[in-house]
Amino acid sequence: MGAQRFLPTLDFARELDQADRLRSFRKEFYVQPDSIYMDGNSLGLLSKRAERTLLEALDDWKQYGIDGWTKGKHPWFTLSEKLGERMAPLVGASAEEVIVTASTTVNLHQLVATFYRPQDERTKILADELTFPSDLYALQSQLRMHGHDPEEHLILVKSRDGRFLEEDDIIAAMTEDIALIILPTVLYRSGQIMDMKRLTVEAHKRGILIGFDGCHSVGAIPHAFHEWEVDFAYWCNYKYLNGGPGSVGGLYVNRKHFGTAPGLAGWFGSRKDKQFDLETIMTPATTAGAYQIGTPHIFSLAPILGSLELFAEAGIEQIREKSLALTQYFMDLIDHELVDMGFEIGNPRDELRRGGHIALEHREAARICKSLKEKGIIPDFRAPHIIRLAPVALYTSYEEVWHVVHTLKAIMTEKHYEKFTNEREIVA
Ligand SMILES: *Cc1c(COP(=O)(O)O)cnc(C)c1O
């Protein structure tokens, strides 16, 4: 694929769009005609299917009131389980190993509360310094709840270059005092894919449990969590999964752990047939469902139903194939058009390592992002110097990528960015 045919012309971009087998999915989305959306890895766009299933859920409320829990088009009582079943193929797990519940950070809390079992000398948690800060905050507070000082008990693997992590460095840090490992599937800045299979094998050799944050990979790349024997994982559904702002998160637990009591228990983790017995002692579900806590946010679940239809129809392998082709084309065009302008590609070029977005680095990144916005292109800025650009397989065209690169070129040539300050906005 690195050797895919490339020409810098607009005609060639259009030719690629014509040949694109996923082309028809774009019209399933609300793509705004006067802007180019490059931020699908922060918040995916609304699809017509997601809108439909959300409206259907509202209609169930309208028609059935309380009976919406068991009646209607999408009975709420088992909606999290149903979505888990439909999401399972995207993470390479069985239906029972996946539940759609809570949010990323809450699910991390749940999983650490469940699987972090410090014993004797084994008291530390291993993570990395490039991970999303919310994960670190959660880990620090979990350690404190166990009476451990995070300064000493949270070990962060260092990056050699500020962009990437080396599996060798992580494995070297899997020492006898580590009880649990939490790592990203894909790094949120550079888009590097971690070798999850290798890391899991090495962790298990040393008797350490390992879990992954899949926010930047689920919906963009295929996974085989069960086959790799990953112990647990969690992710959000509002990025590549297009579930809408604040949509309910995903959680996977390998079946070998079924029966492990939830660290943070609540009645929605009950066996469904026992839940309404309302006994004083909980009977947890014998599936990943056990790690739910309270009543699910139905209107933040409902859009995911429609969105997942699109993933089932397109197929995650085809989505990955197009995503790689889009990012390769993006890089080819950047290499061709943005020469000597101070840009550097900060994501891995290698296909085995490259996630779903381009991390374009520039000293003036914050200002360039503001320029892009003024010109109708929606990027995503990550301090201090990264412009994240995510061409999304289901709705981004090659022609849009062409326009993004040419707009960047114009911004640099005309020094259009100089009219802005080089600071980030409140939500970046
Ligand atoms: C987006 C993201 C989160 C967000 O967590 P929420 O609890 O959904 O706010 C966490 N981790 C990573 C790696 C992310 O990219």
Side-chain angles (χ1 to χ4, degrees):
M1 193 83 82
Q4 86 187 1
R5 202 164 77 87
F6 170 73
L7 288 173
T9 61
L10 180 55
D11 276 348
F12 181 70
R14 290 179 175 153
E15 200 183 296
L16 291 175
D17 281 323
Q18 283 305 313
D20 170 16
R21 282 184 296 161
L22 297 184
R23 188 182 46 182
S24 64
F25 285 91
R26 182 174 163 88
K27 65 178 187 312
E28 296 277 354
F29 288 84
Y30 287 99
V31 178
Q32 298 305 312
D34 47 2
S35 86
I36 299 180
Y37 198 71
M38 284 284 135
D39 211 357
N41 60 339
S42 264
L43 180 70
L45 290 180
L46 173 65
S47 65
K48 292 169 188 170
R49 312 275 190 114
E51 179 183 46
R52 191 199 80 224
T53 50
L54 173 58
L55 292 175
E56 284 168 353
L58 262 173
D59 206 53
D60 284 345
W61 182 26
K62 197 186 288 175
Q63 280 195 48
Y64 296 97
I66 185 76
D67 284 337
W69 285 103
T70 50
K71 295 202 174 99
K73 202 156 169 99
H74 312 297
W76 309 326
F77 190 54
T78 47
L79 192 50
S80 293
E81 283 76 9
K82 181 164 155 182
L83 281 167
E85 182 184 331
R86 296 193 180 169
M87 203 173 282
L90 295 182
V91 295
S94 63
E96 294 190 325
E97 290 173 313
V98 181
I99 192 80
V100 178
T101 184
S103 65
T104 315
T105 312
V106 172
N107 285 332
L108 173 57
H109 272 292
Q110 169 68 292
L111 291 160
V112 176
T114 303
F115 293 108
Y116 171 56
R117 291 277 169 261
Q119 251 180 356
D120 307 323
E121 299 304 303
R122 238 185 232 286
T123 56
K124 297 182 180 169
I125 298 179
L126 183 65
D128 69 273
E129 67 168 1
L130 297 183
T131 222
F132 194 73
S134 188
D135 293 39
L136 297 181
Y137 307 157
L139 295 176
Q140 288 157 357
S141 72
Q142 286 285 336
L143 284 165
R144 278 189 216 104
M145 279 195 280
H146 283 269
H148 292 312
D149 179 2
E151 284 283 327
E152 197 184 317
H153 290 265
L154 180 58
I155 306 299
L156 298 182
V157 176
K158 294 232 178 312
S159 163
R160 297 183 193 185
D161 56 7
R163 281 180 181 157
F164 305 130
L165 294 170
E166 299 288 333
E167 277 81 8
D168 287 342
D169 295 346
I170 298 172
I171 293 164
M174 295 180 184
T175 46
E176 285 180 352
D177 48 358
I178 304 292
L180 184 67
I181 303 171
I182 303 287
L183 292 167
T185 55
V186 167
L187 291 176
Y188 79 103
R189 289 157 164 281
S190 67
Q192 176 193 358
I193 303 178
M194 302 308 300
D195 188 340
M196 293 168 255
K197 181 177 178 182
R198 178 175 174 217
L199 291 165
T200 303
V201 167
E202 295 298 328
H204 289 171
K205 267 190 209 163
R206 294 161 178 80
I208 309 171
L209 294 184
I210 183 163
F212 287 95
D213 179 332
C215 282
H216 273 278
S217 63
V218 176
I221 69 175
H223 306 70
F225 283 152
H226 180 85
E227 190 194 312
W228 300 332
E229 294 188 48
V230 168
D231 292 293
F232 59 84
Y234 55 97
W235 57 92
C236 64
N237 291 317
Y238 49 79
K239 291 173 180 160
Y240 290 103
L241 254 292
N242 312 313
S247 76
V248 175
L251 177 155
Y252 150 89
V253 171
N254 189 291
R255 65 188 322 115
K256 72 183 173 206
H257 296 301
F258 287 178
T260 304
L264 306 175
W267 74 317
F268 262 80
S270 299
R271 236 173 62 191
K272 294 317 262 181
D273 61 322
K274 296 286 287 176
Q275 184 171 337
F276 270 89
D277 289 352
L278 301 171
E279 292 166 340
T280 52
I281 303 293
M282 178 183 175
T283 307
T286 52
T287 62
Y291 307 100
Q292 298 173 84
I293 302 176
T295 304
H297 307 155
I298 298 301
F299 300 139
S300 294
L301 278 175
I304 305 171
L305 265 175
S307 181
L308 285 177
E309 288 177 9
L310 298 174
F311 282 86
E313 286 166 28
I316 190 65
E317 298 291 343
Q318 283 80 291
I319 287 172
R320 173 61 172 159
E321 195 183 311
K322 178 170 171 197
S323 166
L324 280 172
L326 273 168
T327 47
Q328 184 61 54
Y329 174 70
F330 215 142
M331 293 189 297
D332 288 343
L333 208 52
I334 289 168
D335 289 342
H336 189 270
E337 301 290 347
L338 305 182
V339 185
D340 293 333
M341 292 180 172
F343 288 105
E344 227 182 305
I345 290 182
N347 54 271
R349 287 179 182 259
D350 174 7
E351 283 197 356
L352 291 173
R353 288 299 200 183
R354 188 165 91 238
H357 70 260
I358 295 297
L360 192 60
E361 299 177 2
H362 197 285
R363 223 161 25 91
E364 305 282 1
R367 297 209 262 183
I368 295 171
C369 282
K370 289 177 192 171
S371 251
L372 281 169
K373 278 195 170 170
E374 195 177 271
K375 290 177 182 287
I377 293 170
I378 302 164
D380 178 297
F381 171 66
R382 283 293 170 264
H385 62 241
I386 302 176
I387 306 166
R388 286 194 317 187
L389 300 163
V392 174
L394 288 176
Y395 53 78
T396 306
S397 66
Y398 291 89
E399 184 168 341
E400 285 179 311
V401 171
W402 189 92
H403 282 295
V404 170
V405 174
H406 280 267
T407 306
L408 278 167
K409 191 175 180 178
I411 287 172
M412 299 317 289
T413 325
E414 297 158 12
K415 300 196 188 298
H416 184 262
Y417 63 90
E418 286 184 357
K419 63 185 240 199
F420 302 97
T421 55
N422 203 29
E423 286 165 0
R424 72 164 168 79
E425 293 169 66
I426 271 279
V427 174

